[in-house]
Amino acid sequence: MGNLTVRNLDDNVIDQLKETAKVNHRSLEAEVRHRLTESVYDSAYHARAAEFFERTRRLAKQTIGTPQSDSTLLIREDRDR
């Protein structure tokens, strides 16, 4: 695992992080680690979701006017096999 040093962080930010860490029963270091990890994974999730929705919009445009099957009927047919 790597190490990271953050310099020149505002004292108010540090105080707020300490308070949040206390509420969450974590050390300051654990709170910062949690926040950074959560932020990175949350950003990655949103990027993937945005890409997914863009791809579905493009696909929907390509199938305009094409009759679509009712998925309920397809699921029932599959269950009846």
Side-chain angles (χ1 to χ4, degrees):
M1 296 236 150
N3 291 311
L4 175 69
T5 302
V6 179
R7 292 184 176 89
N8 301 320
L9 195 57
D10 187 90
D11 290 335
N12 293 328
V13 172
I14 295 170
D15 291 341
Q16 186 61 48
L17 284 168
K18 285 179 180 179
E19 284 297 316
T20 305
K22 186 176 180 179
V23 168
N24 292 326
H25 304 287
R26 295 185 184 118
S27 66
L28 176 59
E29 180 181 344
E31 184 66 28
V32 170
R33 187 182 313 110
H34 173 78
R35 294 266 191 112
L36 286 171
T37 302
E38 188 177 65
S39 175
V40 167
Y41 287 126
D42 195 40
S43 295
Y45 169 79
H46 287 299
R48 286 192 314 273
E51 180 184 339
F52 170 77
F53 288 122
E54 179 55 33
R55 288 172 51 203
T56 57
R57 278 191 285 277
R58 285 196 313 261
L59 181 60
K61 283 183 180 179
Q62 292 174 355
T63 59
I64 290 175
T66 304
Q68 303 295 318
S69 302
D70 182 357
S71 62
T72 306
L73 297 174
L74 296 173
I75 292 170
R76 282 193 186 124
E77 283 178 19
D78 191 47
R79 287 181 182 164
D80 290 342
R81 282 196 251 169

